[in-house]
Amino acid sequence: MISMSSIGSASGTSKYMTEQASVEYYTDQQSPSKWEGQGAETQGLAGREVTEKDLTDQLEGKVSVYNKESEQFEEKQLGRKNADGEIQHRAGWDMTFAAPKSVSVESEVFANKDVREAHENAVSKAMQYLEDKAAQTRSHGEFEKTGNLTYAKFEHATTREGDPQTHTHVIIANVTFDKDGKAMSLSNEKLMEYRTAADAVYKNELANNLEKIGYQTEWTKDGKNTSFEIKGYDKEGLDTFSKRSEQIKESLAERGLDKDTASHGARQAANLATREDKNHSESAADHRDKWQSEASSAGVRQAERGTPQKSNETYAEQMQNAREAVTSAVNHLSEREAAFNEKDLWKAAAQNAQGGTSTDKITEAIREQEKSGELVHREDGKYTTREAIEAEKTMSDTLAKGAGAHESVMSNKEFDKALAKFEERNGFALTDEQRGAARMILTGDDKYQGVQGLAGTGKTTMLEFVKEAAESKGWEVKGFSNGGAQADKMQQDSGIKSTTTARHLIDSDKLQKDVNLAQRAIDTQEKNKGMLGKTPDFKQGGFNFEVQLFETN
């Protein structure tokens, strides 16, 4: 899981992080801190151990810019001066990657260094994803994608309660470089927006890494949260090493919240409220005897491993898994919206993959769909599908074919009277756009009327009036939408009884079959008994008025 918080004190954070890093996790391991990111590469920091001075400088906005003429790095101070002449500069952000508890037990309790490496590699891959998708600056009031971050990674092995917890603090400095190589402050909006997608990328990459070295994973989904544990561990055994988790759970419960369904903000608040300073060694080696004793008492044993996979032997299979994960994600998202965000596609694809493929192969699968035209990257940055584009064209053609092919629900005079009554009773007036759309629907003689509007522009309020006016003239108003949530929202806000498009078509087909069956029964009765007189015309029925809601993106 990834948590993210702002850094308050540059010097305090630098001192704490570098002091923790001075204790090695394993006697044969190098110091567990390192600079990474394209921004660190630009500044000549990449791959170096993180020192207190370097980290403090970066967090205070004292960055290195390479001068091509002198072929030397020069310091530049980011930030703005206040009225007192002091530099004001936001330090940066702490993005913490915490592995599932079973991974922590394998890594720290049983000292499996390749498990720790699987975690660290997954962290790096998730950070590369964020760097590519979410690194941006603001220039002249406009956001500019930069594609580079400067961040320091610190490997930690314990919780504040002394339990094993494989986690990595990624300290992201508030600096990025524009296309001209100019150092700029980093705009963090995209980092927060893409955090959940990066979390899905991290978990999938970690699971994929673990399966390559012989582990099996078991996935679960609670609400919007998808995660996994290594197969062979049960919850009761893992709870032995989950004292921090219980503290946070109890804190949330005191506020009437459940840990599995609470928002990220609520969990973060509970984490901070129950957090105490560490007063023990961060070295896993210093705790291992105690942890192994606790594991033995609780009956917790190492997971069994199978034969490690070789990447060249599983390429075709992993590409197929990637294609299936992306296709499933596209189908799921396009059922609800004509267009969807890139982060949502990545989050859904990574969750669908469940360790069966890598981030690189998901990227390949998305590019394949783009190249084939099945997936279309729009100018506004969103994705849509070939099917959605064709459906939009079909809808446009259908609207044109229905011109003048129906009767008006009411006259303009009746419309004005109904509108005045509606506005007086509700105490507000519809906007000109809402009035125009409602008038087109109710007084026009087209078989189909298309109304386009962004979310929040008052479509359902307009439809509330349309429903009332149409029903006053004896019409029945029905609603349906591609997504169940949209249908529920339309029914709640407009009062129009609504269902999904699929349900509507099924019900309509069933009704038509019932009508045909009844008509055949009457025809047979007339033929056999020689009935005279006019029979009911089931096909004509009564007035019917249908509304379909499409959210425009």
Side-chain angles (χ1 to χ4, degrees), residues 186-199:
L186 179 69
S187 293
N188 69 327
E189 293 87 351
K190 288 283 185 184
L191 287 177
M192 294 186 290
E193 181 184 343
Y194 274 76
R195 181 189 61 82
T196 55
D199 184 62

Side-chain angles (χ1 to χ4, degrees), residues 394-431:
T394 300
M395 183 168 58
S396 179
D397 293 343
T398 301
L399 288 171
K401 291 176 182 178
H406 205 261
E407 64 180 284
S408 300
V409 175
M410 57 177 50
S411 66
N412 278 299
K413 184 176 180 180
E414 291 171 326
F415 176 88
D416 292 336
K417 184 178 179 180
L419 178 62
K421 182 179 178 181
F422 176 84
E423 292 181 338
E424 181 180 1
R425 187 180 70 257
N426 286 281
F428 64 85
L430 297 184
T431 65

Side-chain angles (χ1 to χ4, degrees), residues 23-290:
V23 180
E24 295 183 358
Y25 289 85
Y26 312 108
T27 56
D28 60 345
Q29 184 181 24
Q30 295 179 347
S31 180
S33 71
K34 184 170 62 173
W35 286 104
E36 289 188 8
Q38 292 299 312
E41 187 78 35
T42 298
Q43 297 188 71
L45 291 170
R48 284 167 44 179
E49 179 185 345
V50 183
T51 66
E52 183 177 350
K53 181 183 183 306
D54 284 344
L55 184 55
T56 300
D57 284 347
Q58 290 292 314
L59 295 180
E60 289 182 346
K62 298 172 185 175
V63 300
S64 297
V65 179
Y66 187 72
N67 187 317
K68 293 181 180 179
E69 294 182 1
S70 66
E71 297 183 347
Q72 298 290 326
F73 282 100
E74 298 175 354
E75 183 179 291
K76 177 182 177 180
Q77 177 65 62
L78 297 177
R80 296 179 179 179
K81 289 185 178 180
N82 61 19
D84 298 325
E86 298 174 335
I87 295 293
Q88 292 183 319
H89 177 73
R90 179 183 290 180
W93 302 269
D94 178 358
M95 188 168 278
T96 307
F97 292 73
K101 182 57 69 175
S102 57
V103 176
S104 297
V105 173
E106 283 287 321
S107 172
E108 314 304 345
V109 177
F110 297 118
N112 288 318
K113 289 186 288 184
D114 54 353
V115 175
R116 179 86 207 194
E117 289 170 1
H119 160 76
E120 291 300 332
N121 290 336
V123 172
S124 292
K125 190 63 71 172
M127 285 305 302
Q128 290 167 13
Y129 169 80
L130 279 174
E131 188 169 45
D132 178 51
K133 307 296 183 184
Q136 64 176 10
T137 188
R138 187 190 291 268
S139 179
H140 304 293
E142 298 292 331
F143 288 111
E144 176 185 327
K145 186 175 180 179
T146 60
N148 63 86
L149 297 171
T150 299
Y151 53 92
K153 286 175 58 180
F154 294 90
E155 301 176 20
H156 285 190
T158 70
T159 69
R160 292 176 181 271
E161 295 301 315
D163 282 330
Q165 184 188 47
T166 299
H167 64 288
T168 302
H169 288 274
V170 179
I171 307 300
I172 305 173
N174 182 18
V175 60
T176 191
F177 294 85
D178 68 11
K179 61 180 181 297
D180 298 321
K182 182 181 178 181
M184 306 282 287
S185 293
L186 179 69
S187 293
N188 69 327
E189 293 87 351
K190 288 283 185 184
L191 287 177
M192 294 186 290
E193 181 184 343
Y194 274 76
R195 181 189 61 82
T196 55
D199 184 62
V201 168
Y202 160 72
K203 289 173 181 174
N204 174 69
E205 193 73 19
L206 173 58
N208 186 249
N209 291 341
L210 291 171
E211 291 185 1
K212 285 180 180 178
I213 57 177
Y215 289 99
Q216 295 182 52
T217 57
E218 296 179 319
W219 290 76
T220 58
K221 184 171 183 177
D222 292 319
K224 296 181 179 180
N225 299 318
T226 301
S227 193
F228 74 91
E229 296 291 353
I230 293 174
K231 187 174 182 179
Y233 288 95
D234 57 34
K235 185 179 183 303
E236 184 178 354
L238 295 177
D239 284 346
T240 304
F241 301 108
S242 300
K243 301 181 186 68
R244 269 300 283 146
S245 179
E246 287 302 310
Q247 288 178 342
I248 294 172
K249 183 177 180 180
E250 291 173 4
S251 177
L252 288 167
E254 290 174 358
R255 297 160 56 194
L257 300 174
D258 181 80
K259 183 174 181 291
D260 293 330
T261 58
S263 68
H264 170 70
R267 295 196 306 271
Q268 188 78 348
N271 178 38
L272 295 173
T274 58
R275 186 171 67 180
E276 297 180 0
D277 291 338
K278 284 187 178 178
N279 55 8
H280 59 263
S281 169
E282 182 62 36
S283 171
D286 291 344
H287 300 270
R288 190 159 293 124
D289 289 344
K290 171 176 150 312

Side-chain angles (χ1 to χ4, degrees), residues 321-337:
N321 291 342
R323 294 184 185 104
E324 291 175 358
V326 171
T327 297
S328 179
V330 170
N331 291 341
H332 173 74
L333 294 169
S334 60
E335 282 179 358
R336 290 157 175 77
E337 303 286 351

Side-chain angles (χ1 to χ4, degrees), residues 463-516:
L463 289 176
E464 182 182 358
F465 164 63
V466 168
K467 173 181 180 293
E468 179 180 301
E471 288 179 344
S472 72
K473 297 292 293 180
W475 291 74
E476 179 184 6
V477 183
K478 299 177 181 179
F480 54 98
S481 175
N482 286 351
Q486 289 178 330
D488 292 341
K489 180 69 173 174
M490 180 162 65
Q491 179 166 313
Q492 177 183 345
D493 293 349
S494 69
I496 298 172
K497 186 176 180 181
S498 305
T499 185
T500 63
T501 304
R503 182 76 264 170
H504 172 78
L505 293 174
I506 291 171
D507 291 344
S508 297
D509 183 61
K510 183 177 183 300
L511 177 62
Q512 187 61 53
K513 288 179 179 178
D514 290 344
V515 168
N516 293 340

